[in-house]
Amino acid sequence: MDAAMLNQLTAAIKSGNRKLATTLTSQAIADAVNAQVILDAMVAAMDDVGRRFKNNEIFVPEMLIAARAMKEAMALLEPVLVKAGIRPHHTAVVGTVQGDLHDIGKNLVAMMWKGANFNVIDLGANVPPEKFVAAAGEHHAHLIGLSALLTTTMPAMKTTLDAVRAAGLAGVKVVIGGAPVTQAYADEIGADAYAAEAASAVEVARKLVAA
Ligand code: B1M
């Protein structure tokens, strides 16, 4: 497999072409292409998807089908990465806060974080503070992502943040987001960062773990 085929793999994921993405991934693995090189081609696709989503060039459905192609291609690559000892450097625990059942935006953030090669522990929706704390401790998380879609559940972000701080999870950064959430609210409750949408969530997460 040559560079042109890796570019094709990137393009297949970007356009959400699952069949081509998985075929090219299998081909790359069969050709013994370095697993990190294959992974880089995949992550480049999701970076571009995130950028175009942020610029309103594509919307939720396109992002979802790209993420699905990424997921299927990743499933093939994962055992090869494990064998090669290549693991995500950072772990993120993500969930929608207690009392809130909206999970579509949170799922997008989780998918984009996976696409950016984070190890993502998705706790789902309606997650109580103690579950975030327990998961962050258990998985040695670098990052916790909190999502809320209701003005009435925004205070659960503060409760969760307070629980994380009280648990003394050293170095764990908390990023918050969701339609009613703002940078001002993140500042008010003392979150480490705010992300307006899933693509920014990747940029923010990368900055937080690099800091
Ligand atoms: Co509900 N709902 N809902 N709902 N619902 C809203 C949010 C609402 C704005 C509708 C309205 O009244 N116009 C309103 C909230 C009003 C408010 O609080 N200001 C509302 C309400 C009131 C309710 C109920 C209370 C209705 C009722 O029962 N009376 C109820 C609450 C249930 C509960 O949670 N306890 C309820 C229920 C539901 C459904 C279950 C039916 C369903 C959710 C299904 C699901 O998620 N599995 C639902 C839906 C679908 C919506 C709307 C229509 C769509 C939300 C959505 O998925 N958007 C919504 C109205 C609307 O937005 N048009 C509405 C698409 C998604 C991609 O965007 O989630 O914003 P979003 O995520 C974005 C960003 O916000 C950001 O990135 C994502 C991608 O860019 N982001 C993060 C999100 N999380 C992030 C985390 C980050 C960073 C960025 O870092 C960690």
Side-chain angles (χ1 to χ4, degrees), residues 14 29 37 70 78 160 180:
K14 279 198 236 178
I29 294 167
V37 171
M70 171 84 182
E78 234 155 46
T160 306

Side-chain angles (χ1 to χ4, degrees), residues 61-152:
E62 290 96 326
M63 198 167 180
L64 285 174
I65 59 164
R68 199 174 52 181
M70 171 84 182
K71 191 177 166 192
E72 291 190 13
M74 261 313 270
L76 297 172
L77 187 63
E78 234 155 46
V80 187
L81 288 169
V82 170
K83 221 168 143 193
I86 302 167
R87 291 175 205 285
H89 296 304
H90 299 106
T91 294
V93 167
V94 66
T96 308
V97 295
Q98 190 160 37
D100 199 322
L101 301 175
H102 297 84
D103 67 357
I104 298 168
K106 181 269 300 168
N107 291 346
L108 278 176
V109 172
M111 284 189 292
M112 291 303 290
W113 279 356
K114 278 185 195 159
N117 199 28
F118 278 78
N119 172 34
V120 177
I121 312 298
D122 187 345
L123 301 179
N126 190 19
V127 182
E130 58 275 17
K131 205 167 162 191
F132 279 107
V133 171
E138 184 190 336
H139 298 281
H140 308 289
H142 302 86
L143 204 64
I144 296 178
L146 306 177
S147 178
L149 259 287
L150 298 171
T151 44
T152 51

